[in-house]
């Protein structure tokens, strides 16, 4: 598994932390604690599903009712679907990449959770 969103920052023990290192750390922390409103998130999910519909699960159609961000450190998003186990890992990755590019989570890990809608 590759983690292309993590940047490697080398710090020299003699030089210490430079101003550039501090800026990079600030950028990481800003993304790690970023919150996304539910409405723009659901707009993105709707566009993404329209562009690339979800695969069927047990011969039933799959859709995302709604999504919301539930936490930070790491940013955590919950998606409500008819069958939580029916979301293929490639579709999860597709949604993760859409969230990363739309909301600027390119330097930190994010967590997606799929729950059965009630």
């Amino acid at each position: 598994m590759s983690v292309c969103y993590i940047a490697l920052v080398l710090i020299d023990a003699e030089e210490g932390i430079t101003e550039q290192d501090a800026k990079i750390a600030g950028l990481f922390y800003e993304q790690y604690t970023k919150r996304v409103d539910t409405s723009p998130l659901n707009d993105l999910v709707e566009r993404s599903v329209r562009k690339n519909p979800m695969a069927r699960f047990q011969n039933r159609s799959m859709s995302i009712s709604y999504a919301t961000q539930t936490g930070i450190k790491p940013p955590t998003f919950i998606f409500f679907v008819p069958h939580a186990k029916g979301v293929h890992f490639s579709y999860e990755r597709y949604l993760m990449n859409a969230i990363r590019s739309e909301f600027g989570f390119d330097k930190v890990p994010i967590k997606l959770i799929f729950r059965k809608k009630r």
Side-chain angles (χ1 to χ4, degrees):
M1 179 175 165
S2 69
V3 284
C4 59
Y5 52 83
I6 295 178
L8 181 63
V9 179
L10 300 175
I11 300 173
D12 186 355
E14 291 181 2
E15 292 182 26
I17 297 175
T18 65
E19 185 176 332
Q20 182 180 358
D21 295 337
K23 286 180 184 177
I24 291 171
L27 176 63
F28 290 162
Y29 188 76
E30 181 182 318
Q31 287 186 17
Y32 204 54
T33 58
K34 184 187 241 181
R35 290 204 176 268
V36 175
D37 289 334
T38 301
S39 181
L41 177 63
N42 282 303
D43 290 344
L44 171 68
V45 168
E46 184 182 330
R47 285 194 317 267
S48 298
V49 170
R50 202 173 328 125
K51 182 178 177 183
N52 183 12
M54 296 179 76
R56 296 175 69 85
F57 178 70
Q58 295 179 345
N59 207 22
R60 295 184 182 147
S61 64
M62 291 284 290
S63 62
I64 298 173
S65 298
Y66 68 98
T68 187
Q69 183 177 3
T70 58
I72 58 172
K73 297 182 183 180
T76 305
F77 300 90
I78 294 185
F79 296 82
F80 291 91
V81 295
H83 303 282
K85 297 205 185 280
V87 180
H88 196 269
F89 75 91
S90 62
Y91 203 81
E92 180 179 353
R93 194 170 47 231
Y94 166 70
L95 291 172
M96 189 177 290
N97 289 334
I99 290 171
R100 283 189 192 287
S101 64
E102 180 83 11
F103 300 114
F105 289 107
D106 60 333
K107 305 235 184 300
V108 296
I110 62 175
K111 186 175 179 181
L112 302 185
I113 299 170
F114 294 91
R115 289 211 178 129
K116 181 175 172 57
K117 68 178 181 181
R118 295 182 180 157

